[in-house]
Every structure is written in structure tokens, then in C-alpha cells.
Amino acid sequence: MHQRFGELVQGHAGVIHGIARSYCWQAADREELEQEIVLQLWRAFPRYDPARTFSTWMYRIALNVAISYVRGHTRRERHFTPLPPEVEPRDPAAVIPGEQDERIEVLSRFMDTLDPLNRALLLLYLEEHTATEIAEVLGISPSNVTTKLSRLKQRIRAYQAPAKQQGDPQENNDGTR
């Protein structure tokens, strides 16, 4: 059982890292969340039904752990006054290769504004899961997934619009002058 669990988790380590990266800015927090996810997966593994896909089962647990972690972390931080965002820079270890691309940066900032359910939904969508797979992981209907994704896409476009307007005022929408 130990070996099988280790193989499955190792084979899906990118999912754990991706979820932790989406929910935590600081490297230490990401590591703590990753460890908590693996621990909860281990505890739940005896109840895993091999007739179901491991990745779906793992996503559901990992997202629930991440959401609980963020909620607990938020409660702990209520007792502290955070620094303004311009004073507290992003952890350099959190930068994904290629993240310098402005669109990815805008998407990253947008994801930071989302509640845990919508963040999980967008994360799964960006990882190219089907609506059915996303529905199974999040415990909502596929039609609800489709509706929520449509609304998220509208919100992303609205969120992007001000970011584009902050660019060169002489620049057209297509990037030409």
C-alpha cells in the first residue's frame, strides 16, 4: 500500500504543486500546504476506490485541504496588520517560468481576487479538465461548471480591460501605434 500510494502521489506531484502555488504566495506556506495535502491524501487513501480515477479523487481532497488551509490562515492573520501590497513584494520563488508575460500576471492577480470555489474552478479549467471532471472534483453539476466558467471569463475580460487601458495611450488595441 505504501509503495502504491507513493507512486500515485509522485505521478501527480504537479497537481499538488499547482494547487499550493495557486493558494499560497510564500514558499514556506506552499511547502506547508503541500505537506498537509499529502498527509490528508495518505489518511484518505484506504478509502480510495480504484474504480474511480486517482487524479479526480486527489484533486477533490487537495482542493478541500487548500481551501481549509487558506481559511485557517486567514483567521490567524486577522490578528496582524498586513503590509500594503506595494511594500510586501511577491515571493521570487513563486514566479513560474514565463510568468513575466503580462497576460499571465494579470490572470494571476485576477485569481487572487477569487473565492476558493471559483479559484479551484479556474485552476481546473486552465489545466484543461472537462466540465464533467471539474464537476466531479468540485461536487457541482456540469451545467453549473459551464455557467460559472462563462461568468468567470466575463469577469476576466472586465478585469483585463483596465490593465490594458493603463498601457501606452497612443497604442491601439492591436498593439500598433
Side-chain angles (χ1 to χ4, degrees), residues 62-78:
L63 288 170
N64 286 334
V65 170
I67 291 167
S68 296
Y69 179 86
V70 169
R71 285 181 182 151
H73 196 71
T74 302
R75 276 188 227 112
R76 288 189 298 272
E77 287 186 352
R78 283 187 191 149

Side-chain angles (χ1 to χ4, degrees), residues 13-129:
V15 170
I16 295 170
H17 298 307
I19 290 172
R21 189 174 55 237
S22 295
Y23 283 85
C24 296
W25 288 66
Q26 303 295 323
D29 291 338
R30 281 193 310 275
E31 289 174 22
E32 184 178 329
L33 177 55
E34 288 174 7
Q35 290 174 359
E36 185 63 25
I37 289 170
V38 172
L39 174 65
Q40 294 307 323
L41 287 169
W42 173 250
R43 287 181 177 165
F45 192 66
R47 295 182 304 279
Y48 167 62
D49 177 6
R52 303 182 69 89
T53 60
F54 180 79
S55 61
T56 300
W57 175 83
M58 186 183 81
Y59 259 111
R60 176 169 264 174
I61 291 172
L63 288 170
N64 286 334
V65 170
I67 291 167
S68 296
Y69 179 86
V70 169
R71 285 181 182 151
H73 196 71
T74 302
R75 276 188 227 112
R76 288 189 298 272
E77 287 186 352
R78 283 187 191 149
H79 302 289
F80 301 99
T81 304
L83 293 172
E86 61 272 8
V87 176
E88 188 176 335
R90 230 180 182 189
D91 178 6
V95 176
I96 304 166
E99 191 174 56
Q100 302 310 322
D101 180 24
E102 182 181 332
R103 291 176 296 160
I104 293 174
E105 186 59 36
V106 170
L107 181 60
S108 178
R109 287 193 310 266
F110 174 75
M111 287 183 75
D112 291 341
T113 68
L114 297 176
D115 62 274
L117 175 67
N118 281 316
R119 187 179 304 173
L121 178 75
L122 187 55
L123 178 66
L124 291 165
Y125 173 75
L126 291 172
E127 292 183 354
E128 300 180 354
H129 289 274

